[in-house]
């Protein structure tokens, strides 16, 4: 306690330096309460746990945030790591601060599987972003928390270091970038780079150390030259020079596929002036001093980035042929570039700037749609967090920024949901183009609509942004739910007839509403949709209305569901759901599998490597976890055999299969004029290894030319007839 007190006093002095009217009493109470709750706790490093919330508070102070944010930083781990309850915290610090702390409290998962960790990670990020829409301080405190954790990451085991570093690079550094917080983004990237790619980090650090002395002299020389020419032209400026961040240099090496020795433009200079006209004047003077690199002049003052970043960028060939980058901006632009939203945030004047409103809209776009599938959510999040931006225009001159590769579909949904839903075409620069055309910088886009047009599933392959994909999925889900409700009602009526339950009586006296409530559904339609999608078993639903009777053997389903003689595939967490192997890939025991809920036909089971899985899982809410059961079964697998036409071939095929304990269910033999033939067999096997043995023994038969799983084209044609 006594050792931490001076550090807390330093935080108070820091806050007072930019906010003399801050509520010092609130900060002291938060500090004392945090110290009491964390008493006796130590971090993995061995230092008292209280050091962490104090460091988080100090980082928030360096961002110049208010006392609410800093108090939240001091208290942010209480609900997750101490005995303090939500009610206790609210009684002491009120509903507002408690809400912020609650939003920062991670959900836990007892499962150690990758899927469980991924789901927990997605839910934690989603909750944080949802809370940030209401109060941006949530995400600012989280970034400060992550920054201090990254600074002390060396004390964790290597596996955890790599996982946390990867998460930081994929999620938190890009969030800092999109909020315009350049300083925090750069430090997070450099720290994550050190732990995720330690060898590359070591090599790059050594390389830059060898150049350090030369670089220092060059920086001093260039700064002097720039300062002198600006002074001669009556431009007051501050000139800074530095070596670029390690992660920035490494990213360039990866992006361009070059060796470290070939990275020459590792120097960057920043010129800070008083006014915008001085920015353009300084740019002209720099180009008079050194030759600019073509294509590297960027005007982010006239066209700011979506994160409100403004600056002039140019690259020039300096003394002795050394290229370097120059950024020119005003003092206000520099503050925004370094601290982003914290430089002019919502809480200083009681209302936000237009840039703040844009950031809130961006955050809302990240989480709208509320995908249930964690993989889909994280993929959409990573895509939208760190795009290479493309700037496009409406016919009225409004500027829209998109991730590179975005199409007119993305543009349409950015304008308005209804414009997207009824989009039939687009004119880009006055010319009609297909909807899948990638947009380019400077394109003027006009969207054409029709009241009869509605989204199709193909649009999910065309759209790039998370907003567009979520809107399309939402439209498709509503239509699919209506079909699922109808299918559910049909399944219910059919099962009622089988079990002798009066369907008419079931729908009277509010029984269906009660059933829905008993199974956790708010409305009868939701329950029927779950039945239609195969998530809820009709037999489980009707169990309370069925009299006890002797168990009857389950009928063998027809068609594709009849490929096994034993129920060897089960849906995790569900009972009595019909499953069948998809014919496109015919998965067998030993294959990794995934289930896809169909309307009224149960769960189609695919091999995870099946090329159709990607298209099917465009609706992630219909993906279910399936597994091979303990019982073994006979699986009917089609096999196409090509052979030289000779006597006894059929007997040889039969003998080879029976020698591997494989039963031939059916055989369609065809011979051709070229003395070649094909045999389409359906053979029972008990798994992937058994099938491989059967295929191997068939290939060894003299005269056999080809053996493949699946029917030949002739066999498929005969079955189609």
């Amino acid at each position: 306690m006594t050792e931490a007190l001076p550090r807390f006093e330093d935080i108070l002095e820091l806050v007072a330096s930019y906010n003399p009217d801050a509520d010092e009493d609130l900060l002291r109470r938060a500090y004392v309460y945090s110290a009491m709750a964390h008493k006796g706790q130590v971090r993995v490093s061995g230092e008292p746990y209280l050091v962490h919330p104090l460091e988080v508070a100090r980082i928030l102070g360096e961002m110049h945030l208010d006392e609410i944010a800093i108090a939240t930083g001091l208290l942010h781990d209480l609900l997750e790591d101490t005995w303090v309850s939500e009610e206790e915290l609210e009684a002491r610090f009120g509903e507002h601060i408690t809400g912020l702390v609650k939003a920062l409290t991670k959900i836990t998962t007892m499962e150690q599987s990758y899927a469980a960790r991924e789901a927990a990670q997605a839910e934690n990020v989603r909750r944080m972003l949802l809370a940030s829409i209401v109060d941006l301080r949530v995400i600012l405190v989280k970034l400060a928390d992550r920054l201090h954790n990254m600074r002390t990451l060396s004390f964790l085991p290597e596996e955890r270091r790599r996982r946390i570093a990867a998460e930081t690079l994929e999620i938190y550094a890009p969030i800092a970038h999109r909020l315009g917080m350049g300083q925090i983004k750069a430090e997070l990237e450099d720290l994550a780079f050190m732990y995720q790619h330690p060898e590359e980090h070591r090599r790059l650090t050594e390389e830059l150390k060898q150049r350090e002395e030369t670089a220092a002299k060059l920086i001093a020389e260039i700064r002097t030259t720039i300062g002198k020419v600006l002074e001669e032209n009556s431009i007051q400026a501050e000139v800074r020079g530095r070596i670029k961040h390690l992660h920035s240099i490494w990213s360039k090496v990866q992006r361009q596929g070059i060796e470290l020795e070939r990275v020459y433009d590792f120097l960057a200079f920043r010129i800070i002036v008083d006014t915008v006209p001085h920015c353009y004047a300084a740019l002209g003077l720099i180009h008079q001093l050194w030759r600019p690199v073509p294509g590297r002049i960027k005007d982010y003052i006239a066209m700011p980035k979506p994160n409100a970043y403004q600056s002039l960028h140019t690259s020039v060939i300096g003394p002795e042929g050394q290229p370097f980058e120059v950024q020119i901006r005003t003092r206000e632009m520099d503050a925004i570039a370094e601290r982003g939203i914290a430089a002019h945030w919502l809480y200083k004047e009681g209302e936000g700037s237009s840039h703040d409103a844009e950031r809130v809209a961006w955050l809302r776009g990240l989480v709208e749609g509320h995908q249930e599938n964690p993989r889909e959510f994280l993929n959409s999040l990573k895509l939208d967090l760190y795009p290479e931006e493309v700037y496009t225009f409406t016919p009225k001159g409004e500027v829209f920024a998109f991730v590179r590769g975005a199409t007119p579909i993305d543009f349409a949904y950015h304008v308005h949901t209804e414009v997207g839903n009824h989009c039939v075409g687009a004119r880009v620069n006055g010319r009609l183009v297909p909807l899948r055309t990638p947009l380019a910088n400077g394109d003027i886009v006009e969207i054409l609509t029709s009241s009869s047009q509605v989204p199709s599933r193909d649009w999910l392959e065309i759209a790039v942004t998370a907003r567009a994909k979520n809107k399309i999925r939402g439209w498709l889900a509503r239509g699919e739910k209506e079909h699922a409700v109808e299918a559910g009602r049909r399944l219910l009526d059919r099962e009622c007839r089988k079990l002798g339950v009066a369907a008419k009586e079931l729908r009277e006296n509010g029984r269906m509403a009660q059933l829905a409530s008993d199974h956790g559904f708010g409305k009868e339609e939701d329950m029927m949709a779950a039945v239609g999608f195969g998530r809820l078993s009709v037999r489980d639903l009707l169990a309370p209305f069925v009299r006890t009777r002797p168990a009857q053997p389950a009928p063998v389903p027809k068609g594709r569901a009849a490929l096994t003689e034993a129920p060897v595939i089960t849906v995790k967490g569900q009972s009595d759901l019909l499953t069948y192997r998809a014919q496109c890939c015919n998965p067998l025991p030993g294959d990794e599998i995934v289930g896809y809920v169909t309307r009224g036909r149960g769960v189609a089971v695919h091999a995870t490597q099946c090329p159709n899985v990607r298209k099917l899982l465009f609706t992630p809410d219909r993906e279910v976890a399936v597994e091979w059961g303990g019982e073994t079964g006979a699986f009917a697998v089609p096999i196409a055999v090509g052979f030289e036409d000779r006597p006894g071939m059929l007997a040889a095929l039969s003998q080879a299969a029976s020698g591997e304990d494989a039963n031939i269910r059916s055989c369609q033999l065809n011979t051709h004029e070229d003395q070649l033939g094909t045999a389409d067999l359906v053979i029972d096997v008990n798994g992937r290894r058994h099938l491989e043995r059967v295929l191997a023994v068939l290939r060894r038969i003299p005269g056999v030319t080809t053996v493949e799983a699946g029917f030949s084209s002739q066999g498929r044609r005969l079955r189609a007839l």
Side-chain angles (χ1 to χ4, degrees):
M1 285 281 289
T2 54
E3 292 180 2
L5 187 59
R7 298 182 63 186
F8 175 68
E9 295 298 331
D10 290 343
I11 293 170
L12 285 182
E13 289 182 14
L14 174 61
V15 174
S17 69
Y18 65 84
N19 186 8
D21 299 325
D23 188 346
E24 183 179 323
D25 178 62
L26 171 63
L27 295 178
R28 285 192 180 277
R29 286 191 294 113
Y31 164 65
V32 171
Y33 193 68
S34 180
M36 179 185 67
H38 287 300
K39 186 177 181 181
Q41 293 181 339
V42 293
R43 305 191 81 206
V44 179
S45 62
E47 63 187 1
Y49 195 92
L50 184 61
V51 171
H52 174 62
L54 280 168
E55 287 293 340
V56 171
R58 184 179 62 79
I59 293 170
L60 294 169
E62 290 171 349
M63 293 184 198
H64 290 191
L65 301 190
D66 69 351
E67 60 269 35
I68 298 292
I70 296 172
T72 301
L74 290 166
L75 303 168
H76 76 278
D77 275 337
L78 293 192
L79 296 182
E80 186 176 340
D81 294 328
T82 74
W83 47 266
V84 175
S85 67
E86 191 177 325
E87 293 75 20
E88 170 75 11
L89 192 64
E90 186 171 338
R92 289 180 177 270
F93 294 97
E95 184 179 349
H96 192 177
I97 288 179
T98 302
L100 297 177
V101 174
K102 185 179 177 182
L104 291 159
T105 302
K106 292 186 290 188
I107 63 169
T108 57
T109 174
M110 299 304 293
E111 298 182 61
Q112 295 302 310
S113 67
Y114 175 79
R117 290 199 307 269
E118 186 183 50
Q121 179 197 34
E123 184 57 25
N124 286 326
V125 174
R126 179 159 39 201
R127 284 174 45 181
M128 178 190 69
L129 294 177
L130 281 169
S132 300
I133 294 171
V134 179
D135 194 326
L136 280 166
R137 281 174 283 207
V138 171
I139 207 165
L140 298 177
V141 175
K142 182 60 184 179
L143 288 173
D145 172 51
R146 177 53 61 116
L147 180 57
H148 183 248
N149 282 332
M150 289 300 297
R151 288 173 178 174
T152 57
L153 200 60
S154 61
F155 298 100
L156 295 180
E158 183 179 359
E159 182 184 352
R160 286 192 64 195
R161 290 201 303 264
R162 287 182 180 273
R163 190 166 72 236
I164 293 171
E167 182 184 61
T168 300
L169 275 179
E170 291 174 352
I171 296 176
Y172 292 102
I175 285 177
H177 169 73
R178 290 302 295 263
L179 294 176
M181 306 174 74
Q183 251 179 356
I184 287 182
K185 170 237 179 190
E187 187 175 355
L188 285 174
E189 286 181 338
D190 283 352
L191 290 168
F193 170 46
M194 178 170 62
Y195 292 112
Q196 195 175 31
H197 303 284
E199 184 59 28
E200 289 90 337
H201 183 274
R202 183 190 61 78
R203 285 181 56 219
L204 183 55
T205 303
E206 290 177 357
E207 174 72 20
L208 292 180
K209 275 185 179 179
Q210 294 173 10
R211 303 187 189 185
E212 194 170 13
E213 185 176 346
T214 304
K217 291 180 180 177
L218 195 57
I219 288 172
E221 178 186 338
I222 293 173
R223 282 187 59 198
T224 301
T225 303
I226 293 175
K228 183 177 180 181
V229 74
L230 292 176
E231 185 178 353
E232 289 173 352
N233 287 273
S234 303
I235 297 176
Q236 296 294 321
E238 177 186 352
V239 183
R240 306 172 192 164
R242 62 175 175 83
I243 296 176
K244 289 182 179 180
H245 295 289
L246 290 176
H247 182 266
S248 173
I249 298 173
W250 180 76
S251 295
K252 181 172 184 176
V253 169
Q254 297 298 111
R255 189 170 58 250
Q256 297 184 358
I258 59 178
E259 295 296 323
L260 289 177
E261 294 76 13
R262 297 190 60 195
V263 177
Y264 301 112
D265 57 338
F266 59 93
L267 298 182
F269 291 83
R270 187 171 301 159
I271 302 174
I272 313 298
V273 297
D274 294 329
T275 67
V276 171
H278 282 167
C279 290
Y280 290 98
L283 179 67
L285 293 171
I286 293 298
H287 287 171
Q288 289 178 28
L289 284 171
W290 298 291
R291 182 165 53 86
V293 177
R296 296 296 301 273
I297 304 170
K298 298 176 182 177
D299 188 346
Y300 294 119
I301 293 179
M303 191 177 294
K305 289 187 176 184
N307 62 8
Y309 176 90
Q310 287 184 287
S311 187
L312 296 177
H313 287 199
T314 185
S315 292
V316 297
I317 306 298
E320 301 176 6
Q322 171 68 53
F324 59 89
E325 183 184 47
V326 181
Q327 300 171 356
I328 309 169
R329 55 203 188 213
T330 66
R331 300 184 192 283
E332 182 183 359
M333 292 174 189
D334 187 56
I336 293 172
E338 293 298 301
R339 294 191 286 119
I341 198 166
H344 57 79
W345 59 316
L346 291 165
Y347 314 103
K348 287 184 177 177
E349 304 296 335
E351 60 182 41
S353 70
S354 61
H355 294 311
D356 297 325
E358 289 172 7
R359 288 188 177 98
V360 172
W362 166 71
L363 286 168
R364 186 177 292 111
L366 287 179
V367 293
E368 67 182 358
H370 305 283
Q371 302 100 317
E372 295 176 9
N373 183 284
R375 184 174 64 241
E376 282 290 328
F377 173 73
L378 287 178
N379 287 343
S380 296
L381 180 69
K382 293 168 188 175
L383 177 69
D384 270 14
L385 278 177
Y386 222 163
E388 294 181 57
E389 283 109 0
V390 170
Y391 295 89
T392 60
F393 298 86
T394 69
K396 294 182 178 179
E398 294 178 86
V399 181
F400 292 162
F402 293 100
V403 59
R404 192 167 296 279
T407 65
I409 290 287
D410 299 294
F411 190 99
Y413 277 104
H414 187 91
V415 174
H416 195 276
T417 301
E418 288 304 307
V419 174
N421 286 342
H422 301 296
C423 172
V424 292
R427 284 194 181 95
V428 175
N429 303 324
R431 184 170 57 88
L432 283 171
V433 299
L435 288 178
R436 61 176 63 251
T437 304
L439 300 177
N441 267 323
D443 280 348
I444 300 173
V445 184
E446 179 185 358
I447 299 298
L448 310 177
T449 62
S450 169
S451 58
S452 61
Q453 175 70 13
V454 295
S456 71
R457 189 166 298 281
D458 292 339
W459 286 11
L460 288 170
E461 296 187 49
I462 299 173
V464 171
T465 62
R467 173 182 172 83
K469 285 180 178 289
N470 289 336
K471 295 296 184 183
I472 296 166
R473 286 193 191 100
W475 177 278
L476 296 174
R478 286 193 293 274
E480 289 180 343
K481 182 177 179 180
E482 293 173 4
H483 290 297
V485 170
E486 295 175 8
R489 295 194 192 282
R490 289 196 300 271
L491 287 170
L492 179 66
D493 290 340
R494 187 175 68 187
E495 202 65 23
C496 282
R497 289 193 296 272
K498 283 184 182 179
L499 300 175
V501 176
K504 185 177 179 181
E505 293 180 9
L506 190 64
R507 292 189 170 92
E508 294 176 350
N509 303 321
R511 289 184 178 181
M512 291 294 285
Q514 184 59 47
L515 267 180
S517 177
D518 292 343
H519 286 80
F521 297 97
K523 296 185 293 185
E524 178 188 338
E525 287 76 13
D526 295 337
M527 180 178 68
M528 288 293 94
V531 171
F533 279 132
R535 298 195 200 101
L536 178 62
S537 165
V538 184
R539 287 178 178 261
D540 288 347
L541 193 66
L542 295 177
F545 304 95
V546 180
R547 295 180 181 178
T548 304
R549 63 185 72 187
Q552 299 293 326
V556 177
K558 298 179 180 179
R560 285 177 291 181
L563 293 179
T564 68
E565 293 181 350
V568 296
I569 303 176
T570 58
V571 179
K572 292 182 181 180
Q574 297 285 345
S575 61
D576 197 28
L577 282 187
L578 177 68
T579 62
Y580 65 88
R581 293 185 303 136
Q583 283 187 327
C584 53
C585 55
N586 278 317
L588 296 170
D591 296 339
E592 292 186 10
I593 52 177
V594 62
Y596 179 73
V597 177
T598 62
R599 287 193 295 270
R601 294 188 294 122
V603 177
V605 179
H606 294 260
T608 55
Q609 301 303 318
C610 174
N612 289 328
V613 165
R614 181 174 174 271
K615 292 183 179 179
L616 292 172
L617 297 184
F618 271 135
T619 49
D621 57 326
R622 292 169 68 177
E623 176 185 354
V624 294
V626 292
E627 60 186 350
W628 297 104
E631 303 177 46
T632 58
F635 294 82
V637 176
I639 297 176
V641 181
F643 57 86
E644 298 171 359
D645 187 13
R646 62 175 63 179
M649 183 56 70
L650 180 58
L653 293 173
S654 177
Q655 184 177 358
S658 61
E660 290 295 331
D661 296 325
N663 174 54
I664 297 180
R665 284 195 180 191
S666 66
C667 175
Q668 178 72 47
L669 203 66
N670 300 284
T671 57
H672 313 290
E673 294 179 358
D674 54 4
Q675 300 301 307
L676 296 177
T678 58
D680 287 305
L681 312 174
V682 177
I683 296 182
D684 286 341
V685 297
N686 58 31
R688 177 61 57 186
R689 291 185 178 179
H690 190 195
L691 173 62
E692 295 297 338
R693 291 201 307 271
V694 172
L695 295 176
V697 75
L698 291 175
R699 291 187 181 107
R700 289 197 294 267
I701 297 173
V704 168
T705 56
T706 59
V707 179
E708 294 180 355
F711 287 129
S712 67
S713 58
Q714 175 72 9
R716 284 192 293 271
R717 190 182 70 81
L718 289 172
R719 279 157 181 77
L721 295 175

